[in-house]
Amino acid sequence: MSRIVYVNGEYLPEESAKVSVFDRGFLFADGVYEVTSVVGGKLVDFDGHAARLERSLGELGMTAPLARAELLDIHRELIARNDLDEGMIYLQITRGAADRDFAYPESATPTVVLFTQTAALIDRPAAQTGIRVISIPDLRWGRRDIKTVQLLYPSMGKMAAKQAGADDAWMIEDGFVTEGTSNNAWIVAGGRIITRHLGTEILHGITRAAVKRLAEEAQMQIEERAFTLAEAKAAEEAFVTSASTFVTPVVEIDGTRVGNGAPGPITRRLREIYIADTVATAI
Ligand code: PMP
């Protein structure tokens, strides 16, 4: 069934939506994006995603083409027009179309695209079984805190995982885990919940921030620091967080079972707490 998508101020059937071949998003990956999940027809952590979007745009010297309230209206309009109950809204803003030149154009009108994608988020088999990951070197650029659309290396990592019969890849830099191809990486060791500290080496996950806050509210012990691949393999539990997977257990790393090879109790509890909060606070 054809969706209604948003392109530069218009709501159009997906077949009619067009972007210029000169768009810098297409030519240079000169653009940023956000993925906001939708549960029960409502947006999860919209403000967190909007704030990160504004930051990403600022880091690339772009001004936000739409105010936060306008963006919220567009998100809601797309949910309504596509009758979306559960899934995601993808938003992309590029610097716009201009003659091909490495230097930013003096003036270009940003391209704004949003579309919906239906997906089961709460009832996912992976939440019950857990996922298996492989490790790969982190060969991405150095500003992973900016959510740009240059996702080829994560895509290659995902393919390497598939070819190895696994589900995803964790990326390693200087012996430490940075993050998953499209999620933040966590372990539970000695009863403490550990996830990498924020910096330019990882994306500042909106789900990561929410899970951290909820774990602290539940009096769980959180440590923000880099952990090694060896630590992860020896951990009691491991999991990933992202807007589309919430909290998903990791049960195997490079063929080594994590804990007893089944989703652990802390991971399960965090998923439950996160989903309860998500449903209660979605707008
Ligand atoms: N790290 C990377 C590299 C990602 O691509 C994502 C998801 N876009 C995340 C972490 C998780 O971020 P969020 O919780 O905001 O979806």
Side-chain angles (χ1 to χ4, degrees), residues 33 52 140 147 179 181-184 203 205-207 242-243:
Y33 77 108
R52 185 174 61 189
R140 296 174 300 164
K147 199 165 168 61
E179 56 188 334
T181 59
S182 59
N183 43 62
N184 288 112
L203 184 74
I206 303 305
T207 320
S242 75

Side-chain angles (χ1 to χ4, degrees), residues 162-245:
K162 276 183 103 168
Q163 276 151 19
D167 304 292
D168 202 359
W170 277 12
M171 295 179 279
I172 314 294
E173 189 166 61
D174 301 328
F176 294 97
V177 175
T178 52
E179 56 188 334
T181 59
S182 59
N183 43 62
N184 288 112
W186 303 65
I187 58 171
V188 179
R192 297 168 76 81
I193 302 165
I194 304 165
T195 195
R196 195 181 172 104
H197 54 282
L198 297 181
T200 51
E201 303 81 14
I202 63 167
L203 184 74
H204 303 185
I206 303 305
T207 320
R208 176 194 177 283
V211 168
K212 176 176 172 271
R213 175 178 54 80
L214 292 167
E216 281 165 353
E217 282 170 15
Q219 315 291 327
M220 297 162 111
Q221 298 292 314
I222 293 256
E223 232 178 279
E224 283 183 276
R225 64 163 175 88
F227 56 87
T228 63
L229 181 61
E231 260 185 288
K233 287 180 183 172
E236 291 127 42
E237 302 182 30
F239 59 95
V240 293
T241 57
S242 75
S244 54
T245 62

Side-chain angles (χ1 to χ4, degrees), residues 127-192:
Q128 304 305 322
T129 59
I131 61 166
R132 291 177 297 167
V133 303
I134 58 164
S135 63
I136 57 170
D138 196 336
L139 301 181
R140 296 174 300 164
W141 77 325
R143 288 303 308 274
R144 302 160 195 157
D145 55 313
I146 310 173
K147 199 165 168 61
T148 73
V149 296
Q150 45 160 328
L151 296 173
L152 188 54
Y153 189 69
S155 217
M156 289 167 74
K158 191 89 180 172
M159 288 313 293
K162 276 183 103 168
Q163 276 151 19
D167 304 292
D168 202 359
W170 277 12
M171 295 179 279
I172 314 294
E173 189 166 61
D174 301 328
F176 294 97
V177 175
T178 52
E179 56 188 334
T181 59
S182 59
N183 43 62
N184 288 112
W186 303 65
I187 58 171
V188 179
R192 297 168 76 81

Side-chain angles (χ1 to χ4, degrees), residues 222-274:
I222 293 256
E223 232 178 279
E224 283 183 276
R225 64 163 175 88
F227 56 87
T228 63
L229 181 61
E231 260 185 288
K233 287 180 183 172
E236 291 127 42
E237 302 182 30
F239 59 95
V240 293
T241 57
S242 75
S244 54
T245 62
F246 297 168
V247 175
T248 296
V250 169
V251 293
E252 204 178 285
I253 304 171
D254 287 338
T256 301
R257 288 162 77 181
V258 178
N260 64 4
I266 292 178
T267 304
R268 285 174 179 279
R269 172 134 185 259
L270 285 174
R271 183 175 174 89
E272 269 168 33
I273 297 174
Y274 179 77

